Amino acid sequence: MKRRPKLAVWKFASCDGCQLSLLDCEDELLALTERIEIAYFMEASRATVRGPYDLSLVEGSITTPYDIKRIQKIRRSSKFLVAIGACATAGGIQALRNFTEVEKYLPLVYARPEYIHTLEKSSPIAAQVPVDFELRGCPINKIQLLELISAFLQGRRPNIHPYSVCWECKMRGNICVMVAHGIPCLGPVTHAGCGALCPTYQRGCYGCFGPKETPNPASLSARLRALGVPEDDLVRLYRTFNAEAEPFRQESAAHE
Amino acid sequence: MSKTIKVDYLARVEGEGALYIRIKDDRVTQVQLKIFEPPRFFEAFLQGRKFTEAPDITARICGICPVAYQMSSVHAMEQLLGLKVEGPLRELRRLIYCGEWIESHGLHVYMLHAPDFLGYADALQMARDYPEVVKRGLKLKQIGNELVALVGGREVHPINVRVGGFYSVPRKKDLVPMVEKLKWARDAALETVRWVGTFDFPPVEPEYEFVSLRHPQEYPFNEGRLVSNKGLDIAVDDFENHFEEEHVPYTTALHSVIKARGAYYVGPMARYNNNFDLLPSGVQAAAQEAGLTSFCRNPFQSIIVRSVEILYACEESLRIIDQYEQPDRPYLEAEPRAGVGHGISEAPRGSLYHRYRIDDQGVIQEAKIVPPTSQNQKTVESDLYQVAVQNLHLPEDQLTWLCEQAIRNYDPCISCSVHFLKLHLERH
């Protein structure tokens, strides 16, 4: 029998939701393990297989000096390394610390801040080591995760589109919440992948999947301003789970 | 003679943590549950955010129980604003919470905890010998996820929950297709209760103080008073007058204690013990058939209690869908005003406390979040002490595994508590 490729799942600062998406593939999980060996996945198993690994899925952002060393070691033992989710691709919600001084945060949460070791900034995986692919979303979409693993097994590029949420919204046949109801929506600048969930539920997109390819957030902001969105709300709108993604970071700063 | 046993990264829990046990001259001298998950500072960056953003932002604390964070936050905000969400909107909140209990308990019972009792490293290895059992667990978990996604938009970090209600509400005909699935899930949950009832449970029965919500008419999700088996009976607002958090050097999670009394226990066993009389008679009968009485003190039997709660959540979902009528409006308007609000809801792992102070523009000035795992941390350590003392005769690898199992009794969510596991057993 041909050797099954080895899959490893790694966690950094995160909520565990993206790696949970793998366990949420209830229909596919057992079949998947026939094609790929789950060699390292601490959330699911106390058994671990030594590297090197053929495919590493990395969840979470880098926030401690120790984690910088850990990701470098993981990179060295991984043939393909894929960052999964907004924490790993853009620093996550915890990157909100990058817009202030982290020393100010510590005493707000911890009575004895001297016990805590942390970096000033929360950074995406690609800021520390070369990354072979980034799967977006807060959380990632499990169908896209399966597509990614299938593509890896077949030796092809994953069929994941970098266009906007608006595309998915139109394909679903939704009525535009911004045009029809004046609801502020980040759909025009946000990377597809969720299936335009929020507009389908009558709310504006809030940007979980981060910026699409070549976005034009300045133009969207002008429209949002015309809808009556105040400047400080614009800052908040771009500054959530993908706050550190460059186009969103710049646009939020422009309204400060 | 002294000795150390080590495990560096505890598996089958959510997040990163370790345990350190020191044994000297056949005495356990030190037990530390270490949480090395890096801190993410949620309470800090909630300052300056709009009150309406709290459910979306706090959901990101935990990918396994985002609904709990959304529920505690919206109830805190609604208390602050004087809003009372009632009728079908209130029922929909219970329904999405049922989905999260089924999904989260299903994951823990089948994939994280049962392998310990049957001697497997994980559920996938267990599936080689028990394929139909593991498939049943996966399908049960899937139905829980479907329920969350149906009401909330998606299973991880639902998008449909807002202060005052929901962005949009399902029509009756959207919910009806779940009925057949939930009937299957109810039968599967009953089989789960019977199955886990046959496991061997180490004889450990500490004197815990069990803390949970209690509501006069129903098994608790979102409302009620915080009660215990040792006389605690307080309004949610009074939480910080009775509980406090300690910061200890070896962990990034804060330890919670009841003032003047110390460690306590939150989670399914606490809810069950404080609310057994409110479970439907069929669910009570299933629990008793599986070997429980109306009060359970063996933490290893939490797997039975969790299964009983899956059964309850299936029955409750079926009741809610049967009686559901689509409300006229998906939400109540929420106009900001300055004040302080408190919320406690029953996350799969136990009571989850939120407090917010906002200004008259609706901007959050202060936030405090006390997750279940940090409340249980001290109790987990005392369980470990007792389990280690009782089992010093075991070979090192067996003792280590048993200690891991004792931690997993709590379904600890380390990502939540950091605002948590590695295992070091040290024998000297």
Side-chain angles (χ1 to χ4, degrees), chain A residues 16 24 42 45 110 138, chain B residues 12 49 60 122 141 415 419:
Chain A
D16 283 52
D24 279 349
M42 293 305 285
S45 179
Y110 297 99
C138 182
Chain B
R12 284 191 269 122
R49 305 300 303 207
R60 267 67 182 185
D122 57 62
K141 179 169 115 47
S415 306
H419 63 148

Side-chain angles (χ1 to χ4, degrees), chain A residues 101-118, chain B residues 39 41 44 247:
Chain A
E101 289 160 46
V102 73
E103 291 78 18
K104 287 182 187 163
Y105 276 9
L106 283 164
L108 292 174
V109 183
Y110 297 99
R112 302 288 299 271
E114 63 272 26
Y115 297 156
I116 300 292
H117 303 281
T118 189
Chain B
F41 308 109
H247 193 188

Side-chain angles (χ1 to χ4, degrees), chain B residues 100-147:
Chain B
E100 182 161 281
W101 280 19
I102 297 169
E103 159 268 309
S104 178
H105 284 356
L107 171 74
H108 190 257
V109 167
Y110 280 90
M111 309 207 66
L112 309 185
H113 210 193
D116 283 331
F117 289 91
L118 300 173
Y120 296 93
D122 57 62
L124 298 171
Q125 290 188 19
M126 196 168 85
R128 289 181 204 144
D129 298 329
Y130 297 92
E132 294 312 312
V133 167
V134 172
K135 281 180 193 161
R136 181 177 72 203
L138 284 168
K139 193 168 172 201
L140 200 46
K141 179 169 115 47
Q142 185 175 38
I143 291 170
N145 273 331
E146 277 184 45
L147 198 52

Side-chain angles (χ1 to χ4, degrees), chain B residues 348-397:
Chain B
R349 288 154 197 79
S351 309
L352 167 62
Y353 173 77
H354 285 217
R355 167 174 56 81
Y356 299 96
R357 181 165 57 82
I358 70 173
D359 68 12
D360 55 8
Q361 301 298 306
V363 177
I364 297 171
Q365 305 296 310
E366 197 186 348
K368 185 177 177 71
I369 294 167
V370 185
T373 296
S374 63
Q375 301 185 66
N376 278 334
Q377 208 176 336
K378 241 181 144 63
T379 301
V380 177
E381 286 183 355
S382 65
D383 279 15
L384 282 164
Y385 179 83
Q386 190 167 347
V387 166
V389 166
Q390 284 180 6
N391 296 283
L392 280 174
H393 59 282
L394 288 179
E396 218 160 282
D397 56 337

Side-chain angles (χ1 to χ4, degrees), chain A:
Chain A
M1 196 176 111
K2 199 170 146 230
R3 183 183 77 87
R4 288 176 300 164
K6 287 200 268 188
L7 171 73
V9 183
W10 307 96
K11 177 191 156 67
F12 292 87
S14 66
C15 79
D16 283 52
C18 290
Q19 52 175 317
L20 180 71
S21 299
L22 187 56
L23 295 176
D24 279 349
C25 298
E26 292 97 352
D27 286 336
E28 300 85 5
L29 190 60
L30 295 179
L32 194 65
T33 57
E34 288 166 15
R35 295 288 308 275
I36 197 161
E37 179 184 15
I38 299 184
Y40 186 96
F41 188 7
M42 293 305 285
E43 185 168 315
S45 179
R46 70 195 296 273
T48 56
V49 181
R50 288 165 60 112
Y53 306 100
D54 298 286
L55 174 61
S56 275
L57 302 176
V58 180
E59 173 193 278
S61 70
I62 306 298
T63 61
T64 67
Y66 170 71
D67 280 352
I68 295 179
K69 292 199 177 76
R70 198 156 64 96
I71 190 63
Q72 289 167 347
K73 202 175 156 200
I74 290 166
R75 177 67 266 191
R76 283 197 296 272
S77 63
S78 307
K79 214 181 265 178
F80 284 88
L81 188 150
V82 178
I84 60 165
C87 297
T89 62
I93 184 80
Q94 58 273 17
L96 290 178
R97 73 169 70 175
N98 302 5
F99 299 87
T100 177
E101 289 160 46
V102 73
E103 291 78 18
K104 287 182 187 163
Y105 276 9
L106 283 164
L108 292 174
V109 183
Y110 297 99
R112 302 288 299 271
E114 63 272 26
Y115 297 156
I116 300 292
H117 303 281
T118 189
L119 292 169
E120 249 175 64
K121 289 189 186 303
S122 167
S123 61
I125 302 304
Q128 305 294 340
V129 296
V131 166
D132 297 301
F133 194 81
E134 291 189 328
L135 192 59
R136 304 284 205 86
C138 182
I140 57 169
N141 176 312
K142 67 181 180 187
I143 307 298
Q144 289 200 336
L145 178 62
L146 285 171
E147 162 59 17
L148 176 100
I149 296 173
S150 303
F152 167 77
L153 288 171
Q154 293 160 9
R156 59 171 174 81
R157 198 175 167 75
N159 188 16
I160 289 168
H161 302 291
Y163 50 56
S164 71
V165 169
C166 289
W167 277 70
E168 293 185 318
C169 210
K170 296 294 158 288
M171 287 191 282
R172 272 184 96 137
N174 288 337
I175 292 168
C176 179
V177 294
M178 193 149 74
V179 171
H181 307 296
I183 298 172
C185 181
L186 287 184
V189 299
T190 298
H191 195 288
C194 64
L197 270 181
C198 286
T200 307
Y201 279 73
Q202 300 301 310
R203 78 178 283 192
C205 165
Y206 61 98
C208 310
F209 276 65
K212 68 181 273 276
E213 62 174 2
T214 63
N216 187 354
S219 169
L220 177 65
S221 297
R223 175 86 185 111
L224 293 172
R225 216 186 279 114
L227 285 171
V229 179
E231 289 292 289
D232 52 351
D233 279 0
L234 281 175
V235 176
R236 292 189 190 99
L237 204 52
Y238 291 105
R239 206 168 277 181
T240 58
F241 317 104
N242 292 277
E244 192 61 32
E246 194 53 26
F248 284 10
R249 193 190 61 75
Q250 279 183 15
E251 190 59 22
S252 71
H255 300 277
E256 244 176 337

Side-chain angles (χ1 to χ4, degrees), chain B residues 398-420:
Chain B
Q398 284 182 34
L399 180 56
T400 301
W401 195 336
L402 187 62
C403 288
E404 286 180 40
Q405 185 178 357
I407 294 169
R408 286 192 280 265
N409 285 340
Y410 289 80
D411 187 9
C413 183
I414 298 172
S415 306
C416 290
S417 64
V418 173
H419 63 148
F420 153 79

